[in-house]
Amino acid sequence: MYDAIIIGAGVSGCAVARELSRYEMKVAVLERASDVCEGTSKANSGIVHAGYDAEPGSKKAFLNIQGSRRMEALSEELDFPYKRNGSLVLCFEESDREKLQELLERGRKNGVEELRILEREELTKLEPNISEEAVAALYAPTGGIVCPFGLTVALAENACVNGVEFHLDTEVQSVEKMEKGYRVESSKGVFESKAVVNAAGVYADAFHNMVSAKKLQITPRKGEYCLFDKTLGDYVSCTVFQLPTKYGKGVLVTPTVHGNLLVGPTAEDIADKEGVNTTGDGLEDVLKRGGYSVQKIFAGKVITSFAGLRAHEAGDDFVIGEPEDAEGFIDVAGIESPGLTCAPAIGEYVAELVRKRIPAAKKTDFIAKRKGIPSVALADEAQRREFIRKNPAYANVICRCELVTEGEIMDAIHRPVGATTLDGVKRRTRAGMGRCQAGFCAPKTVEILARELGKDMAQIRKNAGESTFFAGYSKEG
């Protein structure tokens, strides 16, 4: 019997797990994928929103501000990439200035600090490559960017170190009320718990509807992106949004914490909860609308494209809390943008809801800090020599594009909640995220995974399911 079971190891589920790990509780996370951060959390904009967009008084507005304010300190505590680069919302028509002012006032009501409107001259000094059509912009210095993989993995590792169990490749099949608590059936057996936290992303409605007569409906909202080479990483310094225009709501153009340029997303409501395919029309739309924000879009510099799903709920706000007819079942549903920003605050908020049901003392031995994988690419010469002295594998470069070594890949595999797939290594080390998109390093990374996990290479997967690399392979040849 667990005190709490969390369904879903995305950023929200891992944030809740980390906060619950502060207390004397028995907690487990059940995740159907082969790794944490495999769903919505892996394919988003990586934006820490300032908080001016959400409706004042909504859960989104409150948790956005709280999450944004916590992110920098959390990044230092758990050692993941974060940068406060500021954000802009561009106005393209003089007649739209009223909308810009409304956004300014909404942000101030929400508690966003330092908001102001920039006129054309000041805007171009800040962003020389901004569109010649922009007449003004809302400027939010508190906006930022973060690595969504880094944040989620850091939360999961810290939760694991503090006693939370992670059950991966464990698909929840049903949730049933018991006299005291819940019975959770999964592909890996039955779990029982006093409380359940439903952080299942686009599938959160399915589990909610198993225990509550008040039904919930989550619509997958697909967003497609283009990622550009690092040669364009400084094309803009801020995250650049657009006011809605005759062309639609628009897409963002932003640097990433790793030095790339990202443009997207589209927004298309679909029926398929696994529909993460990109389309020619979608990517063409991304490039076209991204081109409204800046002077030029360099389509030839795109190194990859991807799509992600946001969990949209019809009420257009987060659904967090217990249904009236399902005590101890806590929804963390409808977590779309700005969900990544809100994650630290969601973790604290939901942990308190759990503790109201299950009182528990704070641990005296809680480990608050976590250190990430040493990065050869970011290290100076003295640090690199020290890495190699401790582990000679840090001298063996596997991924040339991102300068990732065998030592880093080995570390990614053997850490708490470590990587077992090619994508798991990629998200933790960036091996395969460069210009060649794993064309050079994938075979060697698969070989290292097989060696370190004690498996045949034929058993190593790209991610979940049947995504193996070799057919008919054996160690004998």
Side-chain angles (χ1 to χ4, degrees):
M1 170 65 74
Y2 290 88
D3 292 307
I5 282 176
I6 299 164
I7 303 174
V11 70
S12 296
C14 290
V16 175
R18 197 254 180 166
E19 290 303 317
L20 288 178
S21 74
R22 296 177 183 272
Y23 301 95
E24 298 291 349
M25 287 184 173
K26 187 177 181 183
V27 179
V29 178
L30 309 185
E31 169 55 55
R32 71 186 186 120
S34 57
D35 198 4
V36 304
C37 199
E38 279 276 12
T40 296
S41 300
K42 76 174 180 183
N44 59 57
S45 308
I47 302 302
V48 179
H49 292 271
Y52 48 74
D53 194 44
E55 189 66 31
S58 65
K59 284 188 175 73
K60 283 184 180 180
F62 172 74
L63 294 168
N64 188 341
I65 295 295
Q66 298 303 314
S68 178
R69 289 173 178 169
R70 286 166 169 73
M71 194 66 73
E72 185 169 10
L74 187 65
S75 71
E76 294 171 356
E77 197 169 71
L78 297 183
D79 194 24
F80 58 83
Y82 163 82
K83 181 180 180 181
R84 184 171 290 185
N85 67 319
S87 63
L88 295 165
V89 182
L90 300 184
C91 174
F92 298 99
E93 303 285 346
E94 291 292 343
S95 58
D96 286 335
R97 281 182 176 272
E98 186 176 338
K99 295 178 184 176
L100 206 64
Q101 187 66 33
E102 288 173 1
L103 204 57
L104 172 68
E105 296 304 322
R106 185 189 302 173
R108 286 174 174 169
K109 284 181 182 178
N110 287 343
V112 182
E113 299 160 339
E114 304 178 55
L115 278 178
R116 61 192 179 95
I117 291 177
L118 304 184
E119 297 301 328
R120 173 74 191 177
E121 183 178 354
E122 191 174 4
L123 175 59
T124 54
K125 285 181 181 178
L126 181 63
E127 293 289 358
N129 293 316
I130 213 71
S131 168
E132 294 178 359
E133 303 299 318
V135 297
L138 177 67
Y139 178 45
T142 58
I145 50 179
V146 69
C147 175
F149 325 125
L151 168 59
T152 307
V153 169
L155 291 166
E157 287 186 4
N158 192 238
C160 183
V161 165
N162 284 295
V164 174
E165 298 176 18
F166 281 79
H167 298 267
L168 305 176
D169 284 314
T170 304
E171 182 173 5
V172 174
Q173 297 163 336
S174 68
V175 183
E176 181 183 353
K177 291 181 188 177
M178 302 191 303
E179 184 177 347
K180 293 183 179 180
Y182 290 86
R183 184 176 189 270
V184 180
E185 288 193 9
S186 80
S187 58
K188 295 287 182 70
V190 175
F191 298 78
E192 293 184 353
S193 180
K194 298 173 186 175
V196 170
V197 175
N198 175 25
V202 293
Y203 290 96
D205 54 350
F207 300 121
H208 168 99
N209 295 340
M210 290 176 184
V211 300
S212 176
K214 186 177 180 181
K215 301 307 180 185
L216 187 66
Q217 183 175 352
I218 300 295
T219 300
R221 181 164 288 174
K222 183 165 78 170
E224 299 183 49
Y225 294 86
C226 288
L227 184 72
F228 293 75
D229 189 78
K230 288 186 175 181
T231 55
L232 291 178
D234 60 355
Y235 194 60
V236 293
S237 58
C238 296
T239 299
V240 182
F241 299 93
Q242 303 167 356
L243 267 180
T245 69
K246 60 184 177 182
Y247 300 110
K249 190 175 180 180
V251 303
L252 62 82
V253 178
T254 185
T256 71
V257 288
H258 299 291
N260 297 90
L261 186 75
L262 181 68
V263 180
T266 55
E268 177 190 3
D269 289 348
I270 62 174
D272 184 3
K273 294 193 177 188
E274 301 294 325
V276 293
N277 59 301
T278 57
T279 64
D281 288 345
L283 298 177
E284 183 180 351
D285 190 38
V286 166
L287 295 173
K288 179 181 177 181
R289 290 197 284 163
Y292 299 145
S293 291
V294 292
Q295 291 179 14
K296 186 177 180 181
I297 285 289
F298 301 86
K301 294 285 189 178
V302 173
I303 61 172
T304 192
S305 58
F306 62 92
L309 300 178
R310 287 99 85 186
H312 178 69
E313 199 276 326
D316 203 30
D317 198 6
F318 299 155
V319 179
I320 301 178
E322 293 176 317
E324 293 178 1
D325 56 351
E327 293 183 356
F329 185 93
I330 300 169
D331 283 312
V332 186
I335 309 299
E336 56 184 338
S337 180
L340 185 69
T341 308
C342 298
I346 289 173
E348 291 184 14
Y349 183 81
V350 174
E352 282 305 303
L353 294 179
V354 174
R355 288 185 63 239
K356 285 179 182 178
R357 287 285 171 202
I358 307 161
K362 273 197 169 185
K363 290 177 180 175
T364 57
D365 58 350
F366 175 73
I367 301 168
K369 290 188 176 293
R370 169 260 190 193
K371 191 66 179 172
I373 298 170
S375 171
V376 169
L378 298 178
D380 60 31
E381 191 58 38
Q383 290 171 322
R384 290 176 182 177
R385 284 198 296 269
E386 182 61 16
F387 295 161
I388 295 167
R389 185 188 68 79
K390 291 181 178 179
N391 182 356
Y394 274 84
N396 184 18
V397 175
I398 302 298
C399 173
R400 296 177 180 178
C401 298
E402 294 289 323
L403 192 61
V404 180
T405 66
E406 182 180 5
E408 290 160 84
I409 294 171
M410 291 167 62
D411 194 349
I413 295 166
H414 294 294
R415 295 175 75 82
V417 202
T420 60
T421 63
L422 190 75
D423 283 356
V425 168
K426 179 170 71 172
R427 284 191 288 271
R428 287 164 176 81
T429 67
R430 294 191 57 77
M433 285 196 178
R435 183 68 177 160
C436 84
Q437 288 291 293
F440 175 80
C441 61
K444 189 63 179 177
T445 303
V446 170
E447 183 181 323
I448 295 168
L449 276 161
R451 182 192 73 206
E452 296 299 314
L453 295 173
K455 295 182 175 182
D456 286 344
M457 288 176 67
Q459 295 175 289
I460 301 301
R461 298 175 293 173
K462 183 180 186 297
N463 42 58
E466 299 299 318
S467 57
T468 52
F469 289 90
F470 301 100
Y473 170 88
S474 68
K475 285 183 177 179
E476 291 73 32

